[in-house]
């Protein structure tokens, strides 16, 4: 589970890169109920839900989500062996809300070489990696934490990218507001999920967790 206890290696922040700040704000307001607040630097801002910060925005010609993990290094973006950008977050606070409706609830790293990706990220964040019988992927949690802190998985795919999932109260309603890559369906012991794409090509998931 993703929490706001930002121990080393835990997800701490997430940025959306797009070429059109206003269009991004309008789209995510309609799908996830977010509000948008521009920052002083042109093209940057934060998305909020129920008054709490749930994501950031940066102007970028390549549209995607970039995940930042708590660490001891400087606040810099890095690139993994498959070209996926990842951030190192150092600061007193990250996202204002996680694992509640309207906020980040799960992460998937899609990779053409999951074992190589796992080795790279373990060298950065010392993640503990677990295999679950019958479940695809390598499941991730910060070093020194228990099963309740599992925050995501590395899964095999022909392409490489981070796929964030956001908690929603109604997956089907969210899916009706955006182009659908994976139709709403139920996963045993997980919940109901769908995978969508925004107007810029950035992929993201929505989930109604069984525990929400």
């Amino acid at each position: 589970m993703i929490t706001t206890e930002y121990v080393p290696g835990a997800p701490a922040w997430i940025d959306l890169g797009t070429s059109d700040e206003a269009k991004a704000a309008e789209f995510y307001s309609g799908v996830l109920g977010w509000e948008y607040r521009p920052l002083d630097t042109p093209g940057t801002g934060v998305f909020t839900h129920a008054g709490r910060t749930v994501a950031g925005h940066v102007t970028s010609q390549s549209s995607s989500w970039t995940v930042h993990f708590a660490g001891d290094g400087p606040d810099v973006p890095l690139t993994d062996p498959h070209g996926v950008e990842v951030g190192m977050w150092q600061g007193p606070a990250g996202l204002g809300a996680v694992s509640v409706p309207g906020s980040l609830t799960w992460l998937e790293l899609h990779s053409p070489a999951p074992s190589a990706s796992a080795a790279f990220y373990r060298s950065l964040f010392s993640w503990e990696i677990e295999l679950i019988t019958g479940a695809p992927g390598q499941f991730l949690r910060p070093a020194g934490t228990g099963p309740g802190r599992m925050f995501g998985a590395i899964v095999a795919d022909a392409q490489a990218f981070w796929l964030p999932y956001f908690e929603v109260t109604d997956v089907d309603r969210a899916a009706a507001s955006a182009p659908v890559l994976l139709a709403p369906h139920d996963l045993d012991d997980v919940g109901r999920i769908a995978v969508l794409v925004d107007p810029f090509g950035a992929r993201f998931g929505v989930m109604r967790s069984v525990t929400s």
Side-chain angles (χ1 to χ4, degrees):
M1 180 180 181
I2 298 177
T3 78
T4 53
E5 182 186 359
Y6 296 120
V7 299
W13 187 259
I14 186 165
D15 276 322
L16 171 67
T18 77
S19 58
D20 190 325
E21 183 181 21
K23 190 173 182 180
E26 180 181 9
F27 174 81
Y28 284 95
S29 172
V31 178
L32 296 176
W34 287 355
E35 296 182 350
Y36 185 70
R37 176 169 58 87
L39 298 179
D40 292 339
T41 302
T44 68
V46 293
F47 293 102
T48 64
H49 188 272
R52 294 186 288 179
T53 300
V54 292
H57 176 273
V58 294
T59 297
S60 173
Q61 294 306 310
S62 59
S63 301
S64 63
W65 286 95
T66 300
V67 187
H68 302 253
F69 297 90
D72 297 326
D75 298 342
V76 294
L78 307 167
T79 302
D80 77 10
H82 304 293
V84 179
E85 191 171 274
V86 61
M88 181 84 73
W89 180 272
Q90 185 182 46
L95 298 171
V98 294
S99 300
V100 296
S103 68
L104 182 67
T105 195
W106 184 252
L107 290 166
E108 285 179 355
L109 174 61
H110 289 237
S111 170
S115 294
S117 293
F120 171 81
Y121 283 94
R122 287 193 71 181
S123 72
L124 283 181
F125 302 115
S126 302
W127 289 341
E128 295 184 11
I129 297 178
E130 181 179 342
L131 300 179
I132 299 176
T133 302
Q138 303 178 59
F139 293 84
L140 313 170
R141 63 174 183 257
T145 62
R149 290 300 302 272
M150 195 174 290
F151 63 79
I154 302 174
V155 298
D157 198 334
Q159 296 178 292
F161 57 94
W162 279 105
L163 180 68
Y165 283 81
F166 299 100
E167 191 73 32
V168 296
T169 56
D170 189 330
V171 168
D172 296 80
R173 181 176 180 180
S177 304
V180 175
L181 297 179
L182 183 64
H185 63 283
D186 296 320
L187 290 179
D188 291 344
D189 301 320
V190 173
R192 189 163 180 81
I193 71 168
V195 177
L196 315 176
V197 61
D198 74 14
F200 313 95
R203 290 161 284 203
F204 65 101
V206 291
M207 176 185 298
R208 172 65 188 268
S209 302
V210 292
T211 56
S212 66

